[in-house]
Amino acid sequence: MTLTTECKTMRRLDTRSLMLRKIILQTLGCAKRGHPASAFSLVEILRVLYDHVLQFNPAWPTWPNRDRFILSKGHGCLALYAILADKGYIPQEELTRFCQPGGILGGHPEACKIPGVEASTGSLGHGPSIGVGFALCARLDGTGARSFVLIGDGESNEGSVWEAALCAAKHRLDNFTIIIDYNKLQSYGPTQQVLPLEPYAAKWEAFGFAVQEVDGHDIQALQEAFLALPLTPGKPSVVICHTVKGCGLPCMEHNLKWHHKSNVTEEEVQRLVCELENAHA
C-alpha cells in the first residue's frame, strides 16, 4: 500500500490511546520539560508493538529469547516510559521522578538504568546499527529473537542509518525491522525543506528492504503490518508510519513549538489534559 498524502487526525482516539497520552502529559509536568509532540506521534506504534507483537517478559527483562526494541528516536522517550510503566517494567511512581534527582528516567532512555531499554539513545542514527547487531547475534545464537528499531524521519539525515541498512540487506536479516515515525517535521522545520526524503519508500527498496506504508495512528493497520513481518522472507523490512506530530491535541498537532517544551506549569498540564479529553469526547 502506498500513502500519497499526509496522515491526518480523522478519528477520535480510543480510551487506551487517550490514557497513554494523559500519562505522557502528567510525566511532562513532573519535570516541567520534555518532547511531548515527538512522543504523541509514537503512541499508537508503541502500543501495538507492546500489546500485540513483541515477545518480552517484564519480570525477566534480560530473557535471552526476547525481541529487542530500540527507540533510536530517543527524544520521544515519554511515550516509551508510559508503555514501560504500563507493562510493569518500571513502577508507575517512577514517572513522577522524570528528570528528577534520584530518578532513573532521563530526557533520553538509558539502558544501564531502565529495565526494558535495550540501548541508550538520543544521539540520532545509532539505533539501526545496534539493531543490526542484535539481529545478527540472534541468528548466530538460534534464538529466533527479532530486532525492531524505531527512527524519526529527520533521523534519516544521518548517514549511519543507511550504513546499517546496507549491512542488514547484505546479511538478509529478515528478523530485522526498521519502523519510521514519518511525521514530516523535525526540530526546526519540515523535512521537505530541511532535507527532502521522497521518494522515501523507493530509497529503502533500493537499499534492499521490503517496504510497507501505513497510517501510524490506525491500530488495525499497524497490527496487520507488524504481524505480517517479515514482509519478504530473506529481506529486512521497513514500515513507514505516516503520523501527525502532536497527534491528539489540536494545539500541538503540526506545531513545532511543541517539539520540545520547557517551563511547563501544572496549570498548563491541566489545561492540556482537559483539551485532550474535550477533543475526543
Side-chain angles (χ1 to χ4, degrees):
M1 179 179 71
T2 300
L3 302 182
T4 57
T5 59
E6 290 187 9
C7 170
K8 303 295 183 183
T9 306
M10 300 185 65
R11 66 186 69 83
R12 288 192 178 95
L13 299 175
D14 66 13
T15 301
R16 182 152 174 74
S17 286
L18 286 172
M19 179 269 289
L20 291 168
R21 283 174 171 81
K22 288 178 186 178
I23 292 173
I24 289 169
L25 290 174
Q26 291 159 356
T27 307
L28 173 74
C30 293
K32 299 181 171 56
R33 62 184 179 88
H35 291 82
S38 302
F40 270 30
S41 63
L42 300 177
V43 171
E44 282 68 44
I45 299 171
L46 294 184
R47 166 188 166 181
V48 170
L49 284 173
Y50 279 86
D51 285 358
H52 303 287
V53 180
L54 298 176
Q55 299 295 316
F56 60 89
N57 183 353
W60 187 8
T62 58
W63 174 44
N65 294 343
R66 72 192 183 280
D67 291 331
R68 270 65 167 182
F69 172 75
I70 299 172
L71 180 64
S72 190
K73 176 191 165 178
H75 57 283
C77 60
L78 283 169
L80 179 60
Y81 295 161
I83 287 287
L84 292 178
D86 177 74
K87 293 300 180 183
Y89 277 102
I90 57 176
Q92 293 283 343
E93 57 268 22
E94 191 62 47
L95 297 172
T96 67
R97 293 190 283 272
F98 172 57
C99 289
Q100 301 293 325
I104 63 172
L105 305 179
H108 294 85
E110 296 181 62
C112 59
K113 293 183 178 180
I114 308 169
V117 172
E118 300 287 354
S120 299
T121 57
S123 181
L124 297 176
H126 293 178
S129 294
I130 300 171
V132 166
F134 283 150
L136 281 168
C137 185
R139 174 185 287 177
L140 292 170
D141 290 345
T143 64
R146 299 170 296 171
S147 176
F148 297 80
V149 180
L150 198 162
I151 69 171
D153 47 7
E155 190 171 357
S156 296
N157 298 358
E158 301 281 352
S160 53
V161 169
W162 302 101
E163 292 176 29
L166 286 170
C167 187
K170 172 192 173 182
H171 292 287
R172 301 174 59 84
L173 294 178
D174 56 7
N175 63 337
F176 175 69
T177 300
I178 286 183
I179 302 164
I180 302 172
D181 175 19
Y182 196 12
N183 62 37
K184 303 167 187 71
L185 290 172
Q186 52 196 99
S187 61
Y188 59 96
T191 54
Q192 182 61 25
Q193 293 179 12
V194 177
L195 195 62
L197 298 172
E198 295 295 344
Y200 205 18
K203 287 182 171 70
W204 286 100
E205 289 171 349
F207 272 71
F209 277 65
V211 182
Q212 183 165 351
E213 298 185 68
V214 299
D215 178 338
H217 301 299
D218 185 320
I219 299 299
Q220 182 176 348
L222 288 166
Q223 284 187 37
E224 291 174 355
F226 294 151
L227 292 175
L229 295 170
L231 299 175
T232 301
K235 281 189 173 185
S237 301
V238 62
V239 181
I240 301 174
C241 300
H242 291 264
T243 60
V244 172
K245 196 177 185 79
C247 176
L249 263 175
C251 70
M252 196 180 289
E253 289 187 356
H254 306 290
N255 187 347
L256 277 176
K257 292 181 180 179
W258 284 96
H259 175 80
H260 180 271
K261 268 287 185 177
S262 56
N263 301 316
V264 180
T265 65
E266 182 178 343
E267 292 75 17
E268 192 168 15
V269 169
Q270 292 174 349
R271 177 182 64 78
L272 291 170
V273 170
C274 288
E275 183 179 342
L276 181 68
E277 293 174 338
N278 291 337
H280 302 278

